Amino acid sequence: MTLHFDAPEYAARQARATQALADAGLDALLMFAPESHFWLTGYDTFGFAMFQAMVLTAKGDIHLLTRMPDLRQARYTSTLPDDQIHIWPEFEGCDPTTDLARLLTDLGISDTVGFENQTVGLTDFNGQRLRATVPHLQDASNLIHGLRRTKSVAEIDMHRRAAALSDDALDAGLAITHAGAFEGDILAAMQGAVFKGGGDYAGNEFIIGSGAGALLCRYYSGRRHLDPTDQLTLEWSGTFARYHAAMMRTVVIGAPTDSHTRMHAACAEALAACEMAIKPNAPMGDVYTAHATVFDAHGF
């Protein structure tokens, strides 16, 4: 079994989730978001691309309905015992929502049921079938999401380890960034540093752009070599036990322009102002205001 936290940590999360369920007046919660599965039990898989659901009952019991290929995945990565892992049979024309409805009946759940629908873990196709099979569902997409906002000491440590890997990745990438360098080599060095440090793939691809693509902020296919005078955009994240610490940098190849110098000064000052504005119980809007005030003062 591969678990990143100890038993008391998972027990505390499950107790908080069960209490939140009661406070919401729900008899059960159907979780389709992979991050909910991971946070609550450690279950770690990309099997959410197909139909799977985790059920939390008002008694605090947790059951997983998934496909056969994820049976061993659930055994290896989660806190769930075998009798709480259920497999829906996969064949042409099958409807796993009927298996979910049968599981709810077996668990004695027939009343108020919440579900997560604001997630990549539930397609519109499966969502429509779910509503037809399990009536009277209530949107509860923010229940676990809200609990996850407050990080435990153990989770903060994971973020710090991810941040160290982000630093390592930047160092590795900058070490081979120069005129004529190949973007693929830069990406390989950055991702390799994360893997060598015991980290994982990030939640989305590392973003790199230069030349005409320097101002893009999404990954796209196709690599190029850097020009003698160029601008390189990097956005990436070290990831440890699925916890992230995303970073973004603009790298100038060749001599910076006057605009580069002015923008850098404004960004450095704005970043310091934003850090000062981040305080417990203060609205995040204060952070944006700090950023905007500095940029306005610099004429941006």
Side-chain angles (χ1 to χ4, degrees), residues 9-154:
E9 173 81 11
Y10 286 111
R13 296 179 188 182
Q14 292 167 13
R16 289 175 61 203
T18 303
Q19 184 60 53
L21 191 72
D23 293 343
L26 299 173
D27 294 310
L29 173 66
L30 308 183
M31 292 169 283
F32 294 93
E35 58 269 28
S36 296
H37 301 174
F38 182 78
W39 182 80
L40 198 63
T41 70
Y43 181 45
D44 190 357
T45 179
F46 63 70
F48 64 85
M50 281 65 74
F51 185 91
Q52 67 175 6
M54 187 172 285
V55 182
L56 173 66
T57 74
K59 297 178 181 179
D61 296 328
I62 303 172
H63 293 261
L64 173 68
L65 178 68
T66 189
R67 298 165 65 240
M68 181 59 75
D70 278 303
L71 171 61
R72 287 174 177 79
Q73 196 84 4
R75 287 172 172 170
Y76 189 68
T77 66
S78 81
T79 62
L80 297 174
D82 279 3
D83 62 351
Q84 291 174 222
I85 303 171
H86 311 269
I87 305 301
W88 58 270
E90 190 172 14
F91 54 89
E92 185 173 359
C94 65
D95 181 357
T97 66
T98 60
D99 297 278
L100 179 57
R102 190 176 304 112
L103 174 60
L104 294 177
T105 298
D106 292 343
L107 295 175
I109 298 168
S110 59
D111 295 322
T112 311
V113 177
F115 78 124
E116 297 175 333
N117 65 3
Q118 191 175 350
T119 171
V120 298
L122 185 65
T123 64
D124 180 62
F125 176 78
N126 283 327
Q128 290 191 41
R129 294 203 297 184
L130 177 68
R131 291 178 182 87
T133 307
V134 184
H136 312 303
L137 291 171
Q138 295 186 14
D139 177 34
S141 298
N142 289 326
L143 194 147
I144 299 296
H145 181 76
L147 298 177
R148 289 176 50 241
R149 286 196 181 102
T150 304
K151 305 300 183 187
S152 67
V153 172

Side-chain angles (χ1 to χ4, degrees), residues 177-181 210-211 224-231 251-256:
T177 298
H178 54 79
S210 62
R224 67 184 293 273
H225 290 80
L226 302 182
D227 293 330
T229 299
D230 214 328
Q231 181 172 310
V251 182
V252 176
I253 290 81

